[in-house]
């Protein structure tokens, strides 16, 4: 592959970081990650608080 061919390939396709290329149920993977992280954080805090009460 020549340098010119590589430069032409890079010029052809531009991908925007604003557009999610993969979605599940209309939500991007970043959004799903936020929801799962909040759920895990909530469960962890509740377990920690109940552990301190039962100690």
């Amino acid at each position: 592959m020549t340098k010119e061919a590589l430069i032409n390939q890079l010029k052809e396709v531009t991908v925007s970081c604003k557009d999610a290329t993969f979605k599940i149920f209309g939500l991007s993977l970043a959004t799903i990650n936020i929801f799962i992280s909040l759920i895990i954080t909530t469960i962890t805090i509740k377990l920690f608080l109940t552990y301190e009460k039962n100690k």
Side-chain angles (χ1 to χ4, degrees), residues 16-46:
S16 174
C17 294
K18 294 179 184 179
D19 300 328
T21 58
F22 186 76
K23 292 185 177 188
I24 300 175
F25 303 118
L27 300 172
S28 69
L29 293 180
T31 306
I32 294 171
N33 185 18
I34 289 171
F35 287 133
I36 291 173
S37 296
L38 288 174
I39 291 169
I40 291 173
T41 302
T42 304
I43 291 170
T44 304
I45 290 172
K46 285 185 179 183

Side-chain angles (χ1 to χ4, degrees), residues 4-21:
E4 290 80 21
L6 183 60
I7 290 173
N8 288 335
Q9 270 188 336
L10 290 173
K11 287 180 182 178
E12 285 179 12
V13 180
T14 56
V15 178
S16 174
C17 294
K18 294 179 184 179
D19 300 328
T21 58

